[in-house]
Amino acid sequence: MHDFVANLPQTLDQVIQSVPLFKPELALIGAFLAVVCATLFIDKHWKQSSFMIYIGGLLISFPLLCQQLGQPDRGFFDMLIIDSFSVYARMLLLFALLVTGVLIRQHFSEKPTRRPLGEVYSILLAAGLGLHLLTATSNWLIAFIAIETVSISSYVLVGYFSEHKRQSEAAMKYVLFGSVSAATMLYGLSLIYGFTGNLDFTAAAHLQGLMAAPVALCTVAILFIFTGIGFKLGFVPFHLWTPDVYEGAPTPITAFLSTIPKIGAIVLFSRLVHAWLPTPFYFSEVTYLFLVVVAIVTMLVGNLIALRQQNIKRMMAYSSIGHTGFLLMTILAISNNNQEVLLFYLTVYTLMNLATFAFIDAIECTTGSVELSDYTGLGKKFPLLFTCFTIVGISLVGLPPTAGFIGKLLVFTAVFEVYQSSKDILFVLLLIIGTLTSVISLFYYFKIPLFSFLRKGDDESPVTPLNNRLAALLGIGITVLLLVLGLFPNIVLEFLR
Amino acid sequence: MITLTHFLVVSACIFCIGLYAILAKRNAIMILVGIELMINAAILNFVAFGKYDKLHYGGQIFALFAIVLAAAAVAVGLAIILNVYRHYKTINPDHITDLRD
């Protein structure tokens, strides 16, 4: 205890010095508190106040984040890592949060609820804060707090409205599954802490502790930890909640769930894997084999089950599971000098999913249905929307001339390069499964144009005007962005390098 | 003399009891209790290991944060289960199966 007291002044000094590194997150915290107050006091007089503060907080956080560009630094006793990887990931997070915020506002102005919307924005900001931390740490304590912050926020987001049976059921499944995963992860972390006496998973002491740990217990601990991360990412066998929650949650919340938590979790996972893989010891082998097997199984399960889905939100859930498998393969293929491959694929994936859910939301607000069979004949009524929807589908498959193609091309190139240098047969397997599942995905994404354009609907029904135009416009804007990125990928790639 | 091993064995037992409560899944509240037991097993581990980490007190700090986060998660969980009860008039997860393939 005396050692601790003697070090106290230096400790405090370092904390104070590190505070400027935390500015983008402080902006989010400030906006969070302001939104809570605005919901209580100002929303009665001016309904938009909480939404405006939400947007304002994100817009203030962005330039503060830009200041950190190209200035790698560490703060709070190496608990906070500022590097280009985390800065780009956080920029993407802020953009995605902005889009989801707008989608939520539009969705609930079409379908008013009795619950105050302001609280949703504050919870979104809390989730954003957790994800910011997740991308900028290699410390288990911060990672666990961040994962729990994101999880609890997501439970609330899914369960907040609970307007019909399905929504409350989805929320219950989510909260129970999520809490069990978090508890399991915590137990794994406690074992890892026991082996190493250190909570920073990149530290030398941590790796040495893992090397000396007993084989069986070490395997159990690692698998337990992967349970927690696997739940956030939604890879097999921890994907069971995904389809139910995606289907049950309101559409803009599904847009949030399918993109934003994955950005944070994948960045953390990639840091973890790159810290643990390079050693020749047992725990590296476990990590490596686990990752390869899970990537393959996830790609296959996600894409194959998606084939027989009739509900488009369920289909997108399985599609996002498939994409998670693809992201795991990307993690294996990249090293420290080509992180832009992962970031580019992540950006494209986020854009594609946000656009898809914007379209689904616009159609849901107009026709009130999310079943694929109800899309019959809608292509004639909303030609522009469904053309763009089809383009996003093409991008999700990974065909030119869209950004999805460039993303997949970069990943496959990276995997092939690793194979050439390591001659590891598992990478060929990954490559084959990756291509095969891309082909499989063609069949279910093309159900969208199949139903909307090719199947004849009843032409008698009057042409209803499209509700929720802003969501549709947002989706169209993102589609244009996807095409531009597909034709000129260097705009973003240069920036990410 | 109580050694580290004793703590680890007790925590492993608590973890398994929690896991059993979850897998038996008769009642959503029982699942929450099981989750709480699992978290407490981990917290016990952290504090036991923390004895050997005199410099940073990582284990003790982790235990404190874990307690707070567990309480927050359970509060949200109970609120959601209450909502489910209002809609279904039951909290047996086996009877709440509107969403499925």
Side-chain angles (χ1 to χ4, degrees):
Chain A
M1 195 66 196
H2 289 291
D3 308 341
F4 182 70
V5 174
N7 286 332
L8 203 55
Q10 285 136 306
T11 314
L12 284 177
D13 277 348
Q14 189 169 5
V15 169
I16 292 167
Q17 274 169 16
S18 309
V19 168
L21 292 177
F22 207 52
K23 272 185 207 156
E25 287 75 28
L26 284 176
L28 290 183
I29 296 173
F32 170 74
L33 294 175
V35 171
V36 171
C37 294
T39 318
L40 285 174
F41 303 116
I42 311 175
D43 267 4
K44 281 174 222 151
H45 311 293
W46 183 42
K47 271 181 105 179
Q48 303 298 331
S49 64
S50 48
F51 178 71
M52 289 301 163
I53 296 171
Y54 172 75
I55 299 289
L58 296 180
L59 291 182
I60 293 170
S61 180
F62 194 79
L64 293 173
L65 199 58
C66 292
Q67 287 172 9
Q68 294 181 348
L69 209 60
Q71 291 173 329
D73 207 340
R74 276 160 180 267
F76 296 110
F77 309 95
D78 290 353
M79 282 182 171
L80 196 70
I81 305 172
I82 310 291
D83 55 7
S84 51
F85 198 25
S86 82
V87 174
Y88 294 131
R90 281 183 287 169
M91 284 178 175
L92 186 60
L93 279 173
L94 287 179
F95 173 76
L97 278 172
L98 194 72
V99 175
T100 3
V102 176
L103 284 181
I104 287 175
R105 178 169 170 264
Q106 287 310 112
H107 181 86
F108 290 104
S109 64
E110 295 293 332
K111 296 181 162 182
T113 66
R114 50 198 168 80
R115 313 239 175 178
L117 258 188
E119 283 168 25
V120 174
Y121 301 125
S122 62
I123 299 162
L124 274 179
L125 283 170
L129 174 69
L131 286 159
H132 267 223
L133 282 177
L134 211 52
T135 58
T137 189
S138 66
N139 189 292
W140 278 127
L141 176 58
I142 305 290
F144 185 74
I145 296 172
I147 287 181
E148 278 291 83
T149 314
V150 181
S151 298
I152 294 174
S153 317
S154 315
Y155 308 149
V156 178
L157 281 176
V158 175
Y160 183 65
F161 298 102
S162 295
E163 287 183 326
H164 43 82
K165 279 178 134 184
R166 286 164 164 252
Q167 279 184 8
S168 60
E169 182 190 345
M172 189 185 80
K173 284 187 172 166
Y174 195 33
V175 77
L176 292 180
F177 207 94
S179 306
V180 174
S181 318
T184 317
M185 183 185 179
L186 191 67
Y187 194 76
L189 284 180
S190 74
L191 290 178
I192 292 275
Y193 175 67
F195 299 145
T196 61
N198 186 304
L199 284 172
D200 188 342
F201 59 71
T202 52
H206 195 87
L207 297 179
Q208 275 161 6
L210 281 175
M211 288 169 198
V215 169
L217 267 180
C218 186
T219 316
V220 170
I222 290 176
L223 293 183
F224 275 10
I225 288 180
F226 287 166
T227 311
I229 300 175
F231 163 74
K232 276 277 98 183
L233 279 175
F235 57 61
V236 177
F238 311 112
H239 69 290
L240 296 166
W241 59 275
T242 325
D244 291 351
V245 174
Y246 280 28
E247 186 190 340
T251 309
I253 305 287
T254 313
F256 167 84
L257 289 177
S258 76
T259 53
I260 299 177
K262 285 197 180 179
I263 303 173
I266 207 89
V267 170
L268 178 83
F269 201 42
S270 141
R271 279 187 205 279
L272 174 68
V273 167
H274 289 141
W276 280 8
L277 270 193
T279 75
F281 285 90
Y282 183 75
F283 69 95
S284 303
E285 264 171 53
V286 172
T287 315
Y288 175 68
L289 279 178
F290 179 84
L291 208 57
V292 172
V293 171
V294 161
I296 290 173
V297 176
T298 308
M299 281 191 273
L300 283 175
V301 166
N303 286 303
L304 287 175
I305 302 185
L307 282 175
R308 42 178 279 258
Q309 299 305 323
Q310 291 306 316
N311 181 315
I312 188 153
K313 277 161 87 179
R314 260 191 122 73
M315 190 184 96
M316 283 310 293
Y318 283 106
S319 130
S320 86
I321 295 172
H323 278 279
T324 304
F326 207 83
L327 282 166
L328 291 181
M329 178 168 89
T330 318
I331 289 184
L332 272 173
I334 63 166
S335 56
N336 279 330
N337 49 24
N338 59 352
Q339 280 169 340
E340 78 271 4
V341 176
L342 178 62
L343 283 169
F344 186 81
Y345 193 75
L346 211 51
T347 315
V348 173
Y349 169 76
T350 310
L351 289 177
M352 291 187 299
N353 262 26
L354 286 177
T356 315
F357 282 107
F359 291 135
I360 295 175
D361 194 23
I363 299 162
E364 193 192 347
C365 284
T366 311
T367 66
S369 174
V370 284
E371 296 294 321
L372 271 168
S373 52
D374 289 342
Y375 284 13
T376 314
L378 284 182
K380 271 189 191 146
K381 289 179 190 161
F382 314 115
L384 181 62
L385 191 154
F386 273 95
T387 312
C388 290
F389 206 163
T390 311
I391 292 172
V392 175
I394 291 172
S395 182
L396 280 161
V397 178
L399 294 176
T402 55
F405 168 71
I406 308 288
K408 287 209 168 169
L409 185 71
L410 285 171
V411 174
F412 285 135
T413 319
V415 176
F416 192 68
E417 275 169 10
V418 177
Y419 167 67
Q420 279 187 324
S421 58
S422 70
K423 296 286 173 205
D424 190 338
I425 199 76
L426 285 175
F427 278 97
V428 181
L429 197 61
L430 277 173
L431 211 57
I432 293 170
I433 300 287
T435 357
L436 190 69
T437 50
S438 299
V439 178
I440 295 173
S441 68
L442 190 74
F443 291 97
Y444 59 86
Y445 291 127
F446 268 57
K447 276 184 184 169
I448 300 163
L450 173 75
F451 276 102
S452 56
F453 287 114
L454 300 179
R455 296 258 166 97
K456 276 269 186 308
D458 48 339
D459 294 329
E460 309 296 310
S461 67
V463 179
T464 43
L466 187 64
N467 292 331
N468 202 348
R469 278 163 197 270
L470 195 66
L473 276 180
L474 213 56
I476 292 168
I478 296 175
T479 314
V480 174
L481 206 60
L482 282 173
L483 281 175
V484 171
L485 281 183
L487 295 172
F488 311 103
N490 275 342
I491 309 171
V492 170
L493 275 175
E494 289 296 322
F495 178 64
L496 293 177
R497 280 191 190 111
Chain B
M1 174 72 193
I2 299 176
T3 61
L4 180 63
T5 323
H6 290 93
F7 282 107
L8 296 188
V9 170
V10 169
S11 92
C13 290
I14 299 177
F15 185 80
C16 292
I17 294 169
L19 203 58
Y20 175 75
I22 290 163
L23 295 179
K25 64 163 187 176
R26 301 242 170 66
N27 182 318
I29 304 278
M30 279 308 285
I31 297 181
L32 277 189
V33 173
I35 291 164
E36 201 65 13
L37 282 175
M38 281 165 81
I39 290 175
N40 281 318
I43 291 171
L44 188 62
N45 261 357
F46 268 118
V47 177
F49 288 131
K51 191 189 165 200
Y52 301 93
D53 185 11
K54 282 268 158 43
L55 198 60
H56 298 296
Y57 292 101
Q60 315 265 1
I61 305 273
F62 213 130
L64 278 178
F65 274 104
I67 291 167
V68 175
L69 289 172
V74 166
V76 171
L78 280 175
I80 287 172
I81 290 173
L82 188 65
N83 241 326
V84 169
Y85 183 74
R86 285 204 185 118
H87 285 291
Y88 285 86
K89 298 298 168 209
T90 172
I91 47 171
N92 184 338
D94 291 334
H95 297 162
I96 304 171
T97 47
D98 276 352
L99 294 166
R100 56 162 64 183
D101 271 322

